[in-house]
Amino acid sequence: MQRWKWATNQPNYDFYLGYKDKDGIYPFHIGSVAPLQGTEDYIFLKKGTEKTNPELEGELTYYNNSGDFKNNYNLSYEGDRYYYRKKKS
């Protein structure tokens, strides 16, 4: 969070928010999902659907275009947010 706050206060913040390091990671970007403790599942940090919260579109596009991840996780909408639920073997 501190890196994101620092980057958004820079005159050229678009550079930092779009910057990827050598491993392809966005070091100044806040993650959109978090692991649920004690499970192999993930919770979306933002509530809503892609219709009520357009910020979710990127995460949903990633899921729909990912082969390996989609093969191992189901996308689930429960209550007011999405989850990635580990598929049972």
Side-chain angles (χ1 to χ4, degrees):
M1 178 73 113
Q2 293 298 326
R3 282 186 275 180
W4 177 83
K5 285 170 74 175
W6 175 85
T8 57
N9 286 308
Q10 300 307 306
N12 56 346
Y13 63 89
D14 284 337
F15 167 79
Y16 291 102
L17 296 181
Y19 173 80
K20 286 185 188 179
D21 66 14
K22 65 180 174 55
D23 297 320
I25 295 172
Y26 293 94
F28 302 106
H29 188 269
I30 296 175
S32 53
V33 298
L36 290 171
Q37 289 185 352
T39 72
E40 294 182 77
D41 299 339
Y42 293 86
I43 186 172
F44 278 50
L45 298 175
K46 296 178 180 176
K47 293 182 179 180
T49 66
E50 61 275 21
K51 292 177 183 169
T52 61
N53 186 348
E55 293 179 12
L56 294 171
E57 188 175 331
E59 188 66 40
L60 296 174
T61 298
Y62 164 78
Y63 176 78
N64 289 319
N65 293 331
S66 68
D68 291 338
F69 190 79
K70 194 172 182 177
N71 290 334
N72 293 307
Y73 285 86
N74 289 314
L75 181 64
S76 173
Y77 188 78
E78 302 168 29
D80 58 357
R81 69 179 71 225
Y82 283 102
Y83 293 81
Y84 290 134
R85 299 287 187 190
K86 180 78 172 164
K87 290 182 179 180
K88 308 295 181 210
S89 359

